């Protein structure tokens, strides 16, 4: 099925370790986003990309890095994991440069840093 | 920067009754989009309804409708004939209607959410 695929769905990481959250979309969307959702809170933008090779910081980028080598993939890298990075991470993509925007979200990755 | 405020952390409604979820936002822009998303326990983000700021007519989708008050910067969601399956977190979100070179404003800005319980 077309959409945004995130892996893994769950992961436990030790403090100081690093890992990459994967995100792939097959809708040929130019725009992709990473959000984090802390318990009982809304989604906050970490990084976004407007096309292959172009990324920029969102509201809460510290401790994260991204890359966008292809239109389909937008991985999120956590370096030196900290307990404050325990959260649910959502990847999303969007279409329509003009007109009414449509967003597709992945099913999220629940990450626990211990 | 735009902000979205949902002042009701939790709401409860009886099955078949009507409930209204509140959302206010702060912006200096005149053109933008507003959204309501539903997040059930599965974590999936599901679009419920959306509104374009330049349209005065309130959006409706079956049992879901909005009350968009642009001057008051208010965007409430009304759920009629509530069903058990409506129980979820509901998020209000904002997005600018950007210009062609304004690449940083395509992302959604979310409120903190309202947890809706539906009582049988």
């Amino acid at each position: 099925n077309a959409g945004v695929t995130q892996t893994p769905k769950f992961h436990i990481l030790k403090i100081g370790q690093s890992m990459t959250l994967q995100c792939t979309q097959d809708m040929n969307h130019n725009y992709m986003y990473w959000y984090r959702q802390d318990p009982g809170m809304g989604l906050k933008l970490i990084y976004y990309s407007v096309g292959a090779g172009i990324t920029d910081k969102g509201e809460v980028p510290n401790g994260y890095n991204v890359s966008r080598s292809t239109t389909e993939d937008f991985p999120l890298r956590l370096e030196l994991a900290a307990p404050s990075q325990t959260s649910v991470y959502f990847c999303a993509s969007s279409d329509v440069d003009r007109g009414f925007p449509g967003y597709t979200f992945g099913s999220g990755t629940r990450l626990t840093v211990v | 920067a735009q902000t979205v405020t949902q002042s009701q952390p939790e709401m409860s409604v009886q099955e078949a009754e009507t409930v209204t979820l509140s959302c206010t936002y702060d912006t200096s822009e005149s053109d933008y989009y507003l959204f309501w998303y539903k997040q059930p326990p599965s974590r999936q983000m599901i679009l419920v309804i959306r509104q374009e700021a330049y349209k005065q007519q309130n959006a409706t989708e079956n049992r879901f409708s909005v009350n968009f008050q642009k001057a008051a910067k208010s965007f409430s969601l009304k759920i009629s004939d509530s069903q058990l399956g409506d129980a979820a977190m509901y998020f209000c979100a904002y997005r600018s209607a950007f210009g062609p070179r304004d690449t940083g404003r395509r992302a959604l800005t979310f409120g903190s959410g309202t947890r809706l319980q539906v009582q049988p």
Side-chain angles (χ1 to χ4, degrees), chain B residues 101-114:
Chain B
R101 295 189 178 184
D102 195 353
T103 60
R105 295 158 65 196
R106 289 173 174 79
L108 294 169
T109 299
F110 288 87
S112 57
T114 296

Side-chain angles (χ1 to χ4, degrees), chain B residues 11 21-22 27-28 34 50 54 69 71 74 77 92 104 110:
Chain B
M11 293 282 286
L21 308 184
S22 300
T27 184
S28 59
L34 296 165
R50 56 190 186 181
Y54 66 86
Q69 302 288 328
S74 172
L77 174 69
C92 180
F110 288 87

Side-chain angles (χ1 to χ4, degrees), chain B:
Chain B
Q2 290 76 28
T3 59
V4 178
T5 302
Q6 294 180 250
S7 59
Q8 307 155 314
E10 290 192 15
M11 293 282 286
S12 183
V13 63
Q14 292 292 127
E15 197 174 3
E17 296 295 309
T18 296
V19 65
T20 298
L21 308 184
S22 300
C23 173
T24 59
Y25 55 94
D26 187 24
T27 184
S28 59
E29 298 171 336
S30 59
D31 198 10
Y32 46 86
Y33 304 104
L34 296 165
F35 305 78
W36 277 99
Y37 279 89
K38 171 184 178 182
Q39 187 183 47
S42 67
R43 293 203 309 249
Q44 189 65 37
M45 295 292 286
I46 301 166
L47 177 65
V48 175
I49 199 165
R50 56 190 186 181
Q51 174 85 37
E52 299 169 82
Y54 66 86
K55 286 190 175 180
Q56 294 299 313
Q57 186 174 3
N58 290 324
T60 62
E61 289 286 345
N62 300 315
R63 298 183 295 107
F64 299 88
S65 61
V66 296
N67 184 6
F68 173 48
Q69 302 288 328
K70 190 172 184 179
K73 297 179 184 176
S74 172
F75 184 61
S76 60
L77 174 69
K78 185 171 82 171
I79 306 174
S80 304
D81 186 25
S82 296
Q83 301 175 359
L84 294 177
D86 294 334
M89 282 288 289
Y90 286 82
F91 292 99
C92 180
Y94 172 104
R95 205 208 78 174
S96 302
F98 50 85
R101 295 189 178 184
D102 195 353
T103 60
R105 295 158 65 196
R106 289 173 174 79
L108 294 169
T109 299
F110 288 87
S112 57
T114 296
R115 183 174 302 280
L116 178 67
Q117 296 180 333
V118 181
Q119 307 297 332

